[in-house]
Structure formats: structure tokens, C-alpha cells
């Protein structure tokens, strides 16, 4: 299953930050799930059958993901062929561009429990606000006071839920349009090449 995801993180502290809210939206069905810690986010990832979660700007959210993994005894491996329990791979360019993070919770002989994170910004290179307008969606990006102090066990308000809901829902609706056209590659360039080949036919 494919989802869009988003973190809300602490910005009011000088030397510390943490995830105080997260949401995922299943692409196609638009089912929503919320949480208020990165621990509960990874519980969702573990309990869901091998999801792929697209973050809009994985470089930002990916730093929180990698920090969590390294803080919980996950080992980074260069080659996914060497995967085993509690390992992860990354695809990050020399320029620091994040393309994917693949986490292996459990690796058996035939079954693998994993989650893959990719970057929807590489597919639709616009802000969430611009995406909503470009796709003529009936919803728009809302506003939020990022600097309002919130505790680690903060219970999301209705306004906060509405804000993060629209962020993941906008991207889920937009990506669903592309996926229905079989534009499912990791980047906009790859999708353009695939579309070009379909137009002129592979033989040519």
C-alpha cells in the first residue's frame, strides 16, 4: 500500500526538536491515521503490510527517521542484499538529495517486514499549496502556529488535525491522479521518460 506522510516538529526549542504530530493518508482510499510521536509512527509502519510512504521533502522528515533508526539499534547497510533484521538502506546523492530510505524490520527466508520512504517532491516539485491549486482540488493548505510550545505527549487539537490532514490529503489526491496514469516512478524525470516511451512505443 502507498501512503502520503507528514511530520510536525518542534521549532520553539533552541537545542532540541522532536515529532509532536504525524499523519498518513492511504493513496486511493484516503484513509487517515494520526499520531503524536515518532515511536507511534514506527508502530504504524511495523503493523502495516510493507507500506511505501511518500513525504513531501523527504530530506527534512528523513533526518528524523534516520535519527530514530540509529537511536534504536538499526544498522545502516550499503547494499540491500545484506539486509537482515533491523537494517536500513538509503539513497542519498552526493549533493544531499534524499530519494529513498528502506527499513527492514524483520527478514525471514521468504517473508520480509519492511517500510519504504520516498520523496513526493521529486515527482511533483511544487509546494503543497501550489499542488492543491494546480490540481484544482476542493481543499487547500491551511495555516498553523508552528512556534506554539507543545509537549511530547501533546494531544492534537481539531485545528492541528485539520492542518496535517489537508497536507497529506492534498498530496494523496494529486499523486493518485498520476498513479492512475501509470506514472509511478520515483522521480518526475523517470515518469516523463516512461510517458515518452509509451507515446512513441518502445520499438522506436
Amino acid at each position: 500500500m502507498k501512503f502520503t506522510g507528514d511530520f510536525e516538529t518542534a521549532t520553539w526549542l533552541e537545542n532540541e526538536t522532536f515529532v509532536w504530530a504525524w499523519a498518513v493518508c492511504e493513496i486511493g482510499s484516503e484513509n487517515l491515521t494520526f499520531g503524536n510521536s515518532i515511536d507511534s509512527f514506527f508502530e504504524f509502519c511495523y503493523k502495516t503490510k510493507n507500506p511505501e510512504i511518500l513525504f513531501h521533502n523527504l530530506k527534512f522528515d528523513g533526518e528524523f527517521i534516520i535519527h530514530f533508526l540509529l537511536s534504536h539499534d538499526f544498522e545502516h547497510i550499503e547494499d540491500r542484499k545484506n539486509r537482515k533484521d533491523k537494517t536500513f538502506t538509503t539513497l542519498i546523492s552526493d549533493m544531499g538529495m534524499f530519494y529513498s530510505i528502506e527499513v527492514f524490520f524483520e527478514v525471514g527466508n521468504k517473508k520480509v517486514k519492511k517500510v519504504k520512504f520516498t520523496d513526493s517532491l521529486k515527482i511533483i516539485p511544487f509546494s503543497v499549496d501550489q499542488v492543491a491549486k494546480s490540481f484544482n482540488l476542493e481543499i487547500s493548505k491551511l495555516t498553523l502556529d508552528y512556534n506554539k510550545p507543545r509537549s511530547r505527549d501533546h494531544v492534537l487539537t481539531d485545528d492541528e488535525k485539520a492542518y496535517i490532514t489537508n497536507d497529506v490529503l492534498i498530496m494523496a489526491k494529486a499523486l493518485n491522479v498520476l498513479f492512475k496514469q501509470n506514472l509511478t516512478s520515483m522521480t518526475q524525470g523517470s515518469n516523463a521518460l516512461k510517458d515518452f516511451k509509451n507515446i512513441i512505443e518502445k520499438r522506436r
Side-chain angles (χ1 to χ4, degrees):
M1 292 189 289
K2 291 191 176 188
F3 301 82
T4 52
D6 189 31
F7 290 161
E8 298 302 334
T9 60
T11 59
W12 56 88
L13 301 171
E14 288 188 14
N15 301 311
E16 181 185 11
T17 187
F18 57 88
V19 174
W20 60 264
W22 61 267
V24 295
C25 178
E26 186 177 351
I27 299 172
S29 74
E30 299 180 4
N31 291 326
L32 291 153
T33 307
F34 303 91
N36 63 354
S37 71
I38 196 166
D39 298 82
S40 61
F41 172 74
F42 269 94
E43 286 178 18
F44 168 85
C45 295
Y46 179 79
K47 291 178 180 178
T48 305
K49 185 177 180 180
N50 295 354
E52 178 181 345
I53 303 176
L54 294 96
F55 283 89
H56 206 59
N57 189 12
L58 182 61
K59 182 173 183 177
F60 176 82
D61 303 275
E63 292 185 359
F64 289 87
I65 290 169
I66 291 173
H67 180 270
F68 175 90
L69 295 171
L70 294 176
S71 301
H72 289 76
D73 300 321
F74 281 77
E75 176 190 355
H76 180 261
I77 54 175
E78 296 289 338
D79 192 332
R80 69 192 309 275
K81 292 178 182 178
N82 299 322
R83 62 190 182 182
K84 57 184 179 180
D85 291 358
K86 298 190 73 172
T87 56
F88 70 100
T89 63
T90 55
L91 181 56
I92 304 172
S93 75
D94 293 340
M95 300 295 289
M97 297 180 69
F98 280 56
Y99 289 89
S100 68
I101 302 169
E102 192 166 17
V103 182
F104 302 98
F105 297 108
E106 297 171 1
V107 178
N109 291 329
K110 294 184 178 180
K111 291 186 178 180
V112 175
K113 183 176 283 293
K114 65 178 183 176
V115 58
K116 186 174 184 179
F117 305 105
T118 53
D119 190 359
S120 56
L121 191 61
K122 302 291 188 298
I123 303 172
I124 309 177
F126 305 108
S127 69
V128 174
D129 182 49
Q130 290 175 311
V131 170
K133 294 173 181 175
S134 298
F135 281 77
N136 295 316
L137 301 181
E138 70 280 6
I139 58 173
S140 59
K141 185 173 176 63
L142 303 178
T143 58
L144 180 71
D145 182 358
Y146 293 105
N147 293 318
K148 176 184 175 181
R150 299 168 175 91
S151 64
R152 286 183 178 272
D153 57 353
H154 174 72
V155 178
L156 273 63
T157 66
D158 290 341
D159 286 345
E160 290 164 349
K161 272 193 173 183
Y163 175 85
I164 199 168
T165 290
N166 277 27
D167 272 11
V168 294
L169 190 54
I170 286 168
M171 294 312 305
K173 286 177 176 289
L175 288 167
N176 193 44
V177 172
L178 299 185
F179 292 167
K180 283 182 176 180
Q181 298 173 26
N182 199 33
L183 300 175
T184 57
S185 298
M186 192 183 294
T187 66
Q188 185 186 40
S190 297
N191 278 327
L193 180 60
K194 180 189 291 185
D195 196 37
F196 175 71
K197 286 180 177 179
N198 288 335
I199 292 170
I200 68 166
E201 300 178 353
K202 291 182 180 180
R203 180 177 57 81
R204 298 177 58 193

